[in-house]
Structure formats: C-alpha cells, structure tokens
C-alpha cells in the first residue's frame, strides 16, 4: 500500500514506479480479473451505456472488456480536445490516435453525461474508499462534475496503486467503488 503523500506529484511518482515493477503478463492477467469482477457485479448488469477508456501501458488494460461488452451494451470512449473531454460511441473501425497518443473514437456527436449508466475510471492511485489521484490534468474530475452526470463511478487499478490516503481538493470526485487486482 502506498503511504500518504503531502502532495499529489509525489504520490504520482511513487505509484508509477510501483506499476513499472509489474511484469506485462501479470498486468494482463490482473486486468482480466478486475474486469471479470466488474462483469459479474450488479453494478454493470442493468447498465445500457458504459463509458470506458482506451488504456495506456501503465493502466489496467481495457481492450478485452471493450470487446466483450461491445456486443451487449453501448460503449463510449473519451476524446480530448484542448482542456475538455467528451465521450463518444465506440466503433472499432472508427478509432484513431488522438491526444497523448491514446486511441480515440471519431468525434461525431458527443453523448450527454446524463445518458451514461456506468463509467470505468482510470487513475494513478486510489484509496479503498474511492478517493482518486489522476494524471493531473483534471479531465475526469471536470467531466464527472458536469450537470446531469449520474452514472455509477468505478475506479480500477492494480493493488500497488492503492494508497492509505490521498490529499483531497474540493474539485476531486470520489468514486462509488474501486476494484483492484
């Protein structure tokens, strides 16, 4: 478990070092376990619209769950433009590399925040009670604060990314639950 850090940049550095120690095959198997737990949970069974993210190498891998859910539910992925992030319908044939080298859907019509039932949120670190430390740009905190947003917020991470506590600021959004593996 990561100790408490007085500032988020120190926490980010420590968490990123921890994730680097996880062998790629373990990241893959542990990502699968995390998403198996999500797929078997009541949190997602009744959801019609699920927002996910296209994972970076140091994040819980989402490729398999995106594929698995795509035939069952409407899947949304984020697209960043400037300081804003919106979610768009996922289509495997309409993906392109966007901001920060992340795979993004085409920018047709953004889906309203109120239309999302469940959102799976990445993070650099989480506490067991839902506090989150992101990468520092605030994209998710801003999005989750939008008018009409009502979705269940599920944070996902590796066990090495769980922290004793995280310095909270007024704009930080707490997850409804955190699932780690």
């Amino acid at each position: 478990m990561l100790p408490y850090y007085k500032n988020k940049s120190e926490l980010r550095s420590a968490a990123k070092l921890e994730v680097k120690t996880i062998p790629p095959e373990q990241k893959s198997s542990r990502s699968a376990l995390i998403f198996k737990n999500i797929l078997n949970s009541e949190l997602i069974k009744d959801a019609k619209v699920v927002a996910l993210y296209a994972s970076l190498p140091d994040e819980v891998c989402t490729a398999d769950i995106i594929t698995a859910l795509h035939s069952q539910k409407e899947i949304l992925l984020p697209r960043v433009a400037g300081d804003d992030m919106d979610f768009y319908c996922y289509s495997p044939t309409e993906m392109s590399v966007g901001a920060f080298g992340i795979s993004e859907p085409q920018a047709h019509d953004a889906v309203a925040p109120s239309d999302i039932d469940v959102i799976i949120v990445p993070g650099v670190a989480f506490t067991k009670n839902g506090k989150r430390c992101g990468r520092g740009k605030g994209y998710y905190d801003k999005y989750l604060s939008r008018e009409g947003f009502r979705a269940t917020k599920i944070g996902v991470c590796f066990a090495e990314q769980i922290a004793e506590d995280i310095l909270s600021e007024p704009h930080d959004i707490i997850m409804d639950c955190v699932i780690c593996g």
Side-chain angles (χ1 to χ4, degrees):
M1 180 175 287
L2 294 164
Y4 176 74
Y5 288 90
K6 292 183 180 179
N7 71 59
K8 289 183 181 178
S9 72
E10 288 179 6
L11 173 59
R12 285 184 189 99
S13 295
K16 287 178 182 181
L17 283 174
E18 288 293 321
V19 172
K20 281 184 181 179
T21 68
I22 305 170
E25 64 277 359
Q26 271 193 30
K27 281 183 190 172
S28 179
S29 64
R30 290 165 67 185
S31 293
L33 179 63
I34 289 166
F35 287 117
K36 180 181 178 189
N37 289 336
I38 290 172
L39 289 171
N40 291 331
S41 76
E42 292 299 318
L43 297 168
I44 201 137
K45 286 189 178 171
D46 295 330
K48 291 179 176 58
V49 180
V50 179
L52 287 142
Y53 61 94
S55 52
L56 291 168
D58 63 345
E59 294 175 327
V60 173
C61 181
T62 57
D64 290 343
I65 193 168
I66 290 169
T67 301
L69 286 176
H70 181 57
S71 63
Q72 304 168 29
K73 303 185 184 290
E74 184 175 352
I75 299 301
L76 308 178
L77 293 179
R79 184 175 178 87
V80 171
D83 291 335
D84 292 318
M85 180 176 74
D86 284 298
F87 282 83
Y88 296 86
C89 292
Y90 165 73
S91 171
T93 60
E94 294 187 3
M95 298 295 289
S96 60
V97 177
F100 312 106
I102 300 170
S103 187
E104 295 181 338
Q106 296 297 312
H108 295 301
D109 293 321
V111 175
S114 60
D115 290 343
I116 301 171
D117 298 314
V118 172
I119 187 168
I120 310 294
V121 181
V124 175
F126 291 91
T127 63
K128 290 181 180 179
N129 65 353
K131 289 182 182 178
R132 174 182 172 271
C133 179
R135 293 187 178 269
K137 297 284 187 182
Y139 290 113
Y140 276 92
D141 289 320
K142 285 187 264 185
Y143 189 85
L144 300 174
S145 298
R146 285 190 183 174
E147 186 175 332
F149 185 86
R150 59 167 184 79
T152 300
K153 302 172 293 297
I154 302 173
V156 293
C157 67
F158 299 111
E160 290 84 350
Q161 295 172 280
I162 295 292
E164 286 178 18
D165 199 4
I166 294 174
L167 174 69
S168 279
E169 299 174 64
H171 64 270
D172 290 334
I173 302 296
I174 305 293
M175 300 293 103
D176 295 310
C177 69
V178 176
I179 300 179
C180 68

